[in-house]
């Protein structure tokens, strides 16, 4: 695979766009208002356009050949990984699981639609910030696997409100970041990473809607989700084929 042949955007513009995106992602958490994250997509679109790209192309979110297949593949793989993690963890006594009474049909459909929308926005925003932006700013770094490590490290740091939870949580987040960054590195489209990230978050939301899951062994639970993402890392390398990239 080769990185984009286009030269990096002007550093001053890129730094300003990066600052705007970081602020628009972190501000909703700082203010405790997740709905403010809805500002991120139009700001990301503005940033892409200001850097000289059509639509969201600066963040590798354009309609390349095969993008929908990669999005769907990532979505399915992540949901399967989450279900497998829960199944194995429940059998091992790490989690407890019980079905809950479902909402009425109309209310349930509304809940599911909101889950799909909200998890997609949150996942895509973080993928742009810690992966698409990094690859666009440092295309030469994107020629090497070090991109995956750097992006995963930034993914950990982006969770500034969870860093106080300690090294185990850092390790868990780092494994998440490795899988998602590898999907971009392997396919050269952010849609593959979005599929994995969105699929995992969506599966979490769906489980909350249909069942009650609790952590029975907090010391072990992070290693189950970490292992699941190391498996997704392998899937990104082995299963996901590179998309034909436009610069």
């Amino acid at each position: 695979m080769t990185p984009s042949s286009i030269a990096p955007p002007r550093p001053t513009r890129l730094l300003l766009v990066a600052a705007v995106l970081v602020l628009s992602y972190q501000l909703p958490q700082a203010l405790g208002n997740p709905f403010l994250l809805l500002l991120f997509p139009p700001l990301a679109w503005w940033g892409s356009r200001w850097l000289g790209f059509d639509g969201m192309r600066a963040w590798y979110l354009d309609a390349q050949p095969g993008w929908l297949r990669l999005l769907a593949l990532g979505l399915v793989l992540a949901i399967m990984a989450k279900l497998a993690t829960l199944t194995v963890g429940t059998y091992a006594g790490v989690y407890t699981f019980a079905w809950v009474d479902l909402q009425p049909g109309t209310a349930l459909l509304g809940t599911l639609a909101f889950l799909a929308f909200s998890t997609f926005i949150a996942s895509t925003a973080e993928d742009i910030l810690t992966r698409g932006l990094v690859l666009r700013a440092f295309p030469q770094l994107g020629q090497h696997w070090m991109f995956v490590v750097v992006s995963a490290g930034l993914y950990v740091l982006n969770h500034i409100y969870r860093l106080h939870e300690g090294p185990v949580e850092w390790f868990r987040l780092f494994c998440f970041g490795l899988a998602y960054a590898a999907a971009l590195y392997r396919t050269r489209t952010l849609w593959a990473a979005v599929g994995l990230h969105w699929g995992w978050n969506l599966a979490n939301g769906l489980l909350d809607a249909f069942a009650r899951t609790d952590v029975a062994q907090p010391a072990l639970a992070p290693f189950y989700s970490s292992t699941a993402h190391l498996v997704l890392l392998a899937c990104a390398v082995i299963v996901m084929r590179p998309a034909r990239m436009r610069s």
Side-chain angles (χ1 to χ4, degrees):
M1 293 184 306
T2 58
S4 171
S5 59
I6 200 166
R10 283 187 287 176
T12 51
R13 286 198 175 192
L14 193 60
L15 283 173
L16 180 57
V17 169
V20 169
L21 294 183
V22 169
L23 182 63
S24 63
Y25 184 84
Q26 296 295 343
L27 193 61
Q29 297 184 69
L31 298 178
N33 186 348
F35 293 102
L36 288 176
L37 195 59
L38 293 174
L39 295 174
F40 191 96
L43 288 172
W45 181 88
W46 160 81
S48 179
R49 294 284 296 172
W50 198 47
L51 294 175
F53 297 88
D54 296 331
M56 301 285 265
R57 189 175 166 194
W59 321 128
Y60 304 91
L61 280 174
D62 54 329
Q64 299 180 30
W67 73 270
L68 188 58
R69 172 185 61 82
L70 289 168
L71 175 66
L73 177 60
L75 191 68
V76 171
L77 287 173
I79 291 175
M80 290 175 60
K82 179 61 183 181
L83 294 177
T85 301
L86 180 62
T87 300
V88 174
T90 301
Y91 180 79
V94 175
Y95 306 109
T96 60
F97 177 88
W99 296 106
V100 299
D101 295 332
L102 296 180
Q103 304 175 42
T106 304
L108 180 61
L109 286 176
T111 297
L112 296 180
F114 177 75
L115 275 174
F117 173 75
S118 61
T119 53
F120 178 79
I121 293 294
S123 301
T124 305
E126 195 165 25
D127 287 330
I128 289 174
L129 193 60
T130 61
R131 284 170 271 282
L133 176 61
V134 176
L135 185 59
R136 181 57 66 192
F138 304 103
Q140 296 304 315
L141 178 64
Q143 297 182 64
H144 310 285
W145 268 98
M146 186 55 63
F147 163 77
V148 176
V149 176
V150 170
S151 176
L154 291 174
Y155 181 73
V156 175
L157 294 176
N158 194 50
H159 291 80
I160 57 177
Y161 299 104
R162 284 158 59 182
L163 294 180
H164 68 279
E165 297 179 26
V168 172
E169 179 64 8
W170 306 343
F171 174 75
R172 188 180 76 90
L173 291 170
F174 189 72
C175 291
F176 280 42
L178 288 176
Y180 305 150
L184 171 58
Y185 176 84
R186 173 65 174 154
T187 65
R188 285 336 225 214
T189 173
L190 197 61
W191 288 115
V194 169
L196 290 178
H197 197 176
W198 181 31
W200 186 265
N201 289 342
L202 180 60
N204 283 326
L206 292 174
L207 285 170
D208 289 340
F210 289 99
R212 177 181 174 82
T213 59
D214 293 302
V215 177
Q217 300 185 47
L220 292 179
F223 296 102
Y224 276 72
S225 54
S226 299
T227 301
H229 277 78
L230 293 178
V231 172
L232 289 175
L233 167 63
C235 290
V237 174
I238 298 170
V239 178
M240 291 184 170
R241 298 194 303 273
R244 184 171 43 176
M245 185 180 179
R246 297 185 303 181
S247 58

